């Protein structure tokens, strides 16, 4: 149990600090349907991340446990995922805004003010389980759980649940600020949104670099 949670925790933290989902929640919290939209997003995000990491972990760990240690294929899987994370890191870094240039905001952000709870939940699924950057991190988390607890569905389910809880902390934080800080929340959330949009590429580049190197090292150590 401890190994499965520990091995996947860095990936969960990577999902936690992904800027765009946090920005999406902040924008929902300043819309007309602030509470219902933000809560629908958080629930949709949690369920999407939990479902993907659980399915990946169960499928990857479906073989019989190896008493001699993790199977060699889990090492190769981690190496492939590590390389993909490193390549994505390079792409993020090269695409970052230079100097005083403002990064373009995704077009979907302009439509969030008119979202319903159903569309908010749908956006959460897209950002958490379809967006390539987050999907790669979630899949890496599932692979880490599978390598640490192959064939143990109970441990896998608990580790996947912990992964989803940690990965959801980033989108939950703005909601907590909104409900707990009253009138001061608007200024805090607006500052958070602006900072994350501005530094999104750099944050993700560094994050993917660190996690990619970890996955690559973990994979090599298995072989």
């Amino acid at each position: 149990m401890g190994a499965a949670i520990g091995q996947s925790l860095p990936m969960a933290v990577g999902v936690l600090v992904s800027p765009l989902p946090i920005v999406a929640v902040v924008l929902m919290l300043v819309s007309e349907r602030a509470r219902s939209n933000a809560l629908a997003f958080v629930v949709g995000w949690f369920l999407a991340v939990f479902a993907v990491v659980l399915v990946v972990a169960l499928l990857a760990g479906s073989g019989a446990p190896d008493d001699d240690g993790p199977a060699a294929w889990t090492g190769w899987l981690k190496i492939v995922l590590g390389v993909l994370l490193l390549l994505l890191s390079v792409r993020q870094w090269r695409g970052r805004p230079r100097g005083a240039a403002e990064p373009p905001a995704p077009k979907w952000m302009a439509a969030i003010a008119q979202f319903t709870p159903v569309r908010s939940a749908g956006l959460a699924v897209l950002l958490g389980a379809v967006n390539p950057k987050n999907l790669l991190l979630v899949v890496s988390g599932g692979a880490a759980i599978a390598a640490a607890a192959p064939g143990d569905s109970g441990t896998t389910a608990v580790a996947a649940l912990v992964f989803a809880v940690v990965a959801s902390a980033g989108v939950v934080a703005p909601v907590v600020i909104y409900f707990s800080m009253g009138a001061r929340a608007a200024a805090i959330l607006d500052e958070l949104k602006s900072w994350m949009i501005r530094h999104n590429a750099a944050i993700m580049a560094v994050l993917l670099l660190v996690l990619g190197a970890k996955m690559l090292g973990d994979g090599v150590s298995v072989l």
Side-chain angles (χ1 to χ4, degrees):
M1 178 74 70
I5 293 174
Q7 288 294 317
S8 63
L9 195 57
M11 303 303 163
V13 173
V15 179
L16 182 162
V17 300
S18 297
L20 290 185
I22 298 174
V23 171
V25 174
V26 171
L27 291 174
M28 289 174 188
L29 289 170
V30 296
S31 68
E32 293 183 1
R33 302 183 180 94
R35 298 189 177 193
S36 58
N37 282 354
L39 292 175
F41 184 95
V42 169
V43 172
W45 173 271
F46 172 81
L47 293 177
V49 171
F50 176 66
V52 172
V53 75
L54 179 61
V55 168
V56 170
L58 289 175
L59 290 177
S62 58
D66 186 354
D67 293 335
D68 296 326
W73 69 266
T74 63
W76 287 111
L77 176 61
K78 287 186 175 184
I79 289 173
V80 170
L81 292 171
V83 170
L84 290 175
L85 288 168
L86 292 175
L87 291 174
L88 195 53
S89 171
V90 173
R91 181 180 178 184
Q92 286 288 301
W93 184 254
R94 295 182 65 182
R96 74 192 190 282
R98 310 299 174 90
E102 289 295 324
K107 294 181 180 179
W108 52 262
M109 286 186 180
I112 284 181
Q114 285 75 47
F115 270 22
T116 63
V118 172
R119 292 185 68 184
S120 298
L123 177 62
V125 173
L126 289 175
L127 291 178
V130 179
N131 178 275
K133 288 176 285 188
N134 275 351
L135 179 60
L136 191 53
L137 290 172
V138 175
V139 170
S140 298
I145 292 172
D152 188 342
S153 57
T155 296
T156 295
V158 174
L161 181 61
V162 173
F163 182 98
V165 169
V166 173
S168 300
V171 296
V172 169
V175 179
V176 173
I177 293 173
Y178 176 85
F179 282 106
S180 64
M181 304 200 69
R184 293 182 297 168
I188 295 173
L189 293 174
D190 184 64
E191 184 176 347
L192 176 65
K193 177 199 70 175
S194 299
W195 188 88
M196 287 206 146
I197 290 176
R198 171 65 182 164
H199 299 286
N200 171 53
I203 292 171
M204 291 306 300
V206 174
L207 182 68
L208 293 168
L209 174 64
V210 173
L211 296 178
K214 179 187 181 303
M215 286 295 288
L216 193 60
D218 289 348
V220 171
S221 68
V222 172
L223 301 180

